């Protein structure tokens, strides 16, 4: 398997600025605790995959001071997402990796079900496919892997809607790419999604009484 860069997109886990749809269930402090826990889980999982570099790509609306106190796993690179909508930011990160001859897996921090074996399997598929995607239950996706780049996958996409995965598949087909679609996985975005947290997380984060 060739080296594959894992790029993790994330916001600084600041109360009131992350997981805002979970605030009614968890409060600002609980939502930010969960966001920080998921951030570290995603980075540690990516690092444990051992398939290539791991990069944390931080959102451009927060400054570096917002990340003070966040202990990142040793060896994790950091970069800024830059300007533009989510598609522009993802496209920029993906192209940078592919231009340096590293295939890329783009993930967020909202899907604890995205484990190291799933990441390894996705990277392995890029040996024989142009793209791999794991849809989310809500119609988005939790992982996009690419061995080549095309801007159509990111432009004019209704991000944050239930159409994203379906439209991405349509664009794969229009490009004539060999693609692999993995099993749907659960993002943790809404209070109803909290049932998908791994066993013990709510207790460890002291979330049980509020969820």
């Amino acid at each position: 398997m060739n080296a594959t860069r894992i790029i993790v997109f994330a916001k600084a886990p600041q109360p009131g600025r992350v997981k805002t749809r979970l605030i009614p269930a968890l409060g600002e402090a609980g939502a930010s605790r969960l966001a920080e826990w998921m951030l570290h889980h995603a980075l540690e999982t990516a690092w444990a995959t051992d398939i290539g570099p791991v990069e944390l790509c931080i959102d451009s609306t927060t400054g570096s001071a917002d990340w003070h106190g966040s202990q990142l796993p040793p060896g994790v690179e950091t970069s800024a997402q830059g300007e533009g909508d989510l598609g522009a930011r993802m496209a920029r990160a993906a192209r940078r990796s592919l231009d340096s001859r590293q295939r890329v897996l783009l993930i967020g921090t909202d899907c604890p079900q995205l484990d190291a074996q799933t990441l390894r399997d996705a990277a392995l598929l890029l040996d024989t496919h142009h793209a791999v995607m794991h849809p989310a239950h809500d119609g988005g996706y939790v992982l996009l892997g690419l061995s080549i780049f095309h801007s159509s996958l990111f432009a004019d996409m209704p991000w944050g809607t239930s159409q994203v995965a379906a439209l991405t598949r349509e664009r794969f087909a229009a490009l004539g790419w060999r693609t692999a679609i993995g099993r749907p996985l659960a993002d943790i975005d809404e209070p109803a999604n909290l049932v998908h947290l791994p066993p013990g997380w709510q207790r460890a984060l002291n979330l049980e009484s509020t969820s």
Side-chain angles (χ1 to χ4, degrees), residues 89-107:
R89 289 177 274 141
M90 291 174 65
R92 193 157 40 239
R95 187 160 209 163
R96 183 177 68 247
S97 181
L98 291 163
D99 283 350
S100 66
R101 301 186 182 278
Q102 291 178 332
R103 294 101 52 84
V104 63
L105 299 181
L106 303 174
I107 66 172

Side-chain angles (χ1 to χ4, degrees), residues 6-127:
I6 303 175
I7 302 181
V8 182
F9 277 69
K11 295 180 180 179
Q14 296 295 311
R17 299 170 68 177
V18 290
K19 310 311 293 177
T20 53
R21 284 178 284 174
L22 291 175
I23 289 175
L26 304 180
E28 287 188 2
S32 67
R33 283 201 307 275
L34 178 58
E36 185 166 18
W37 192 283
M38 291 197 296
L39 166 66
H40 287 282
H41 180 266
L43 290 173
E44 289 166 4
T45 299
W47 188 254
T49 303
D50 194 27
I51 57 173
V54 176
E55 176 183 333
L56 172 62
C57 197
I58 64 175
D59 73 303
S60 56
T61 60
T62 59
S64 58
D66 292 308
W67 290 89
H68 288 169
S70 294
Q71 299 296 318
L72 304 180
V76 171
E77 302 173 19
T78 59
S79 64
Q81 293 178 20
E83 300 301 321
D85 69 0
L86 178 60
R89 289 177 274 141
M90 291 174 65
R92 193 157 40 239
R95 187 160 209 163
R96 183 177 68 247
S97 181
L98 291 163
D99 283 350
S100 66
R101 301 186 182 278
Q102 291 178 332
R103 294 101 52 84
V104 63
L105 299 181
L106 303 174
I107 66 172
T109 64
D110 295 340
C111 182
Q113 294 178 337
L114 201 56
D115 58 19
Q117 189 58 55
T118 302
L119 293 172
R120 289 190 197 100
D121 290 345
L124 186 61
L125 283 165
L126 290 177
D127 284 344

